[in-house]
């Protein structure tokens, strides 16, 4: 790792050794997958269904992956989903749904009840979610909207194809209607009337600098390590992102029903994109409160700067 990134890790109290394992999530059938991958799967004891594999192992060409028995998914992403504590019958909102691994995991947890609404601003990335739902045959209770997560509403009363005259980033989010691109036959109509109270659970896994993702960090071998400061450590870009993260959190909470639960997470390791965002949100919303994460009692995590937050 370059000196600039080592300094960044030191400033955030982090050890470079965190960038080591690769994780997968499996449906039943571990032994046959071990034979196919030609490697031993190490069970992640604190995260049901997750295993670590050597980082050089390729899974995309395997039959198990093609048949929907195996997902490539970071353990931290799985932890964010488990933290949401989804129960049978819940109506769940995934406000930053692409590329879809958490979406599929949420649907597995919901089973044959409740519903899941996935939202993302990038149509091509949300189309990848749709492909995953079809591949894993998980779409019956899911609907997908192309929309800005900072302004997505429970009241999308009119769905029609809409082509923006300007790029997404240039137009005002308030004028963009959500575009429904996938509708499962049992996904319901949660939030279509003003009498609806909102979602039981909301996941805001916000856009970030991705500095906590080994797959992202590895890209700098191709991009050039000299671009790291501009892509990750640039203060102006971070300020834009933290403002976006705060807006996503605000809107996710607005869409939550009274007594519901929201999980805010990122794959950044910075305090600015995590504790600082949560702290500012809490200062604006005295009726919001942090809860203990029941599932996290045995997780290998440390407390964040704010009590009841986890790293």
């Amino acid at each position: 790792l370059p000196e600039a990134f080592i300094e960044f890790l030191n400033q955030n109290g982090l050890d470079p050794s965190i960038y080591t394992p690769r994780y997968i999530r499996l449906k039943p059938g571990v032994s046959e997958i071990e034979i196919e991958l030609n490697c031993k799967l190490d069970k992640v004891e604190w995260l049901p269904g997750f295993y670590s594999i050597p980082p050089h192992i390729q899974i995309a060409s395997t039959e198990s992956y093609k048949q929907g028995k195996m997902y490539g998914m970071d353990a931290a992403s799985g932890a964010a989903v488990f933290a949401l504590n989804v129960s049978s019958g819940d109506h769940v909102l995934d406000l930053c749904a692409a590329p879809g691994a958490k979406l599929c995991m949420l649907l597995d947890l919901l089973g044959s009840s409740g519903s899941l609404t996935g939202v993302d601003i990038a149509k091509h990335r949300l189309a990848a979610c749709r492909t995953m739902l079809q591949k894993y045959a998980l779409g019956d209770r899911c609907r997908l909207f192309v929309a800005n997560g900072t302004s997505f509403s429970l009241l999308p009363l009119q769905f029609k194809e809409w082509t923006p005259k300007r790029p997404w980033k240039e137009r005002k989010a308030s004028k963009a209607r959500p575009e429904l691109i996938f509708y499962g036959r049992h996904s319901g109509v949660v939030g279509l009337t003003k009498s609806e109270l909102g979602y039981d659970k909301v996941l805001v896994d916000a856009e970030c600098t991705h500095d906590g993702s080994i797959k992202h960090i590895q890209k700098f071998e191709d991009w050039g390590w000299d671009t790291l400061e501009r892509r990750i450590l640039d203060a102006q870009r971070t300020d834009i992102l933290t403002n976006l993260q705060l807006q996503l959190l605000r809107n996710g909470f607005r869409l939550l029903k009274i007594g519901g639960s929201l999980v805010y997470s990122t794959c950044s390791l910075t305090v600015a994109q995590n504790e600082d965002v949560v702290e500012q949100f809490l200062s604006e919303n005295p009726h919001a409160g942090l809860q203990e994460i029941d599932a996290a009692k045995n997780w290998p995590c440390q407390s964040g700067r704010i009590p009841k937050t986890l790293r």
Side-chain angles (χ1 to χ4, degrees):
L1 295 173
E3 285 301 316
F5 197 68
I6 294 292
E7 183 181 349
F8 160 78
L9 294 176
N10 289 336
Q11 288 173 352
N12 286 276
L14 301 162
D15 189 317
S17 67
I18 60 170
Y19 296 103
T20 42
R22 183 183 183 188
Y23 297 95
I24 55 175
R25 182 170 75 88
L26 299 183
K27 293 186 174 182
V30 173
S31 58
E32 64 182 73
I33 291 174
E34 282 189 328
I35 293 170
E36 192 174 8
L37 293 178
N38 193 27
C39 74
K40 186 178 184 304
L41 305 184
D42 291 323
K43 187 176 182 179
V44 180
E45 297 294 343
W46 57 278
L47 206 59
F50 278 75
Y51 297 81
S52 65
I53 60 175
H56 66 276
I57 298 293
Q58 301 296 314
I59 67 172
S61 60
T62 65
E63 285 303 311
S64 295
Y65 181 79
K66 292 175 183 177
Q67 293 172 11
K69 296 179 180 178
M70 174 168 46
Y71 303 75
M73 187 174 183
D74 284 340
S77 296
V81 172
F82 276 122
L84 202 55
N85 193 26
V86 170
S87 301
S88 176
D90 278 347
H91 296 293
V92 183
L93 173 64
D94 185 352
L95 203 53
C96 307
K102 286 182 287 296
L103 193 82
C104 289
M105 184 174 170
L106 285 166
L107 285 165
D108 275 335
L109 292 173
L110 279 174
S112 59
S113 65
S115 71
L116 177 59
T117 299
V119 176
D120 205 274
I121 195 170
K123 186 172 183 177
H124 69 286
R125 282 167 55 82
L126 202 63
C129 291
R130 179 175 57 193
T131 300
M132 286 187 73
L133 295 181
Q134 293 165 338
K135 172 184 174 180
Y136 292 107
L138 288 171
D140 270 5
R141 295 189 170 273
C142 186
R143 57 184 189 163
L144 300 177
F145 291 98
V146 179
N148 189 321
T150 66
S151 59
F152 178 75
S153 174
L154 286 172
L155 307 171
L157 297 174
Q158 184 178 359
F159 308 122
K160 59 183 179 181
E161 192 68 27
W162 185 82
T163 304
K165 296 180 180 178
R166 292 175 289 168
W168 281 98
K169 64 181 180 180
E170 293 181 8
R171 60 187 173 78
K172 291 184 179 180
S174 60
K175 294 185 178 180
R177 291 188 181 278
E179 179 187 348
L180 182 67
I181 69 165
F182 183 86
Y183 189 84
R185 57 182 177 172
H186 299 305
S187 57
V189 289
V190 175
L192 288 182
T193 69
K194 291 183 179 180
S195 63
E196 292 288 350
L197 296 176
Y199 293 88
D200 299 287
K201 305 286 171 62
V202 174
L203 176 62
V204 180
D205 186 56
E207 172 63 23
C208 66
T209 51
H210 306 292
D211 53 83
S213 165
I214 184 171
K215 288 184 71 174
H216 189 81
I217 295 300
Q218 285 175 327
K219 292 177 183 177
F220 284 97
E221 293 179 355
D222 298 321
W223 294 341
W225 287 104
D226 57 329
T227 68
L228 181 132
E229 291 203 42
R230 173 172 56 84
R231 291 177 181 267
I232 287 185
L233 307 179
D234 179 68
Q236 184 177 2
R237 179 170 183 248
T238 301
D239 286 346
I240 293 171
L241 272 175
T242 53
N243 182 55
L244 170 64
Q245 290 156 354
L246 184 59
Q247 290 185 59
L248 288 166
L249 179 52
R250 286 169 178 159
N251 197 42
F253 189 74
R254 183 180 68 84
L255 298 173
L256 191 66
K257 78 175 189 181
I258 295 172
S261 298
L262 179 150
V263 166
Y264 172 80
S265 60
T266 77
C267 60
S268 170
L269 302 167
T270 65
V271 171
Q273 295 176 71
N274 292 289
E275 288 94 334
D276 285 358
V277 171
V278 172
E279 202 164 50
Q280 185 169 345
F281 169 78
L282 290 173
S283 71
E284 299 170 353
N285 294 275
H287 53 293
L290 291 177
Q291 297 177 313
E292 296 281 0
I293 299 174
D294 294 334
K297 292 176 182 176
N298 298 316
W299 290 1
C301 295
Q302 63 184 33
S303 175
R305 193 186 65 193
I306 305 170
K308 300 181 183 178
T309 61
L310 291 175
R311 287 180 159 273

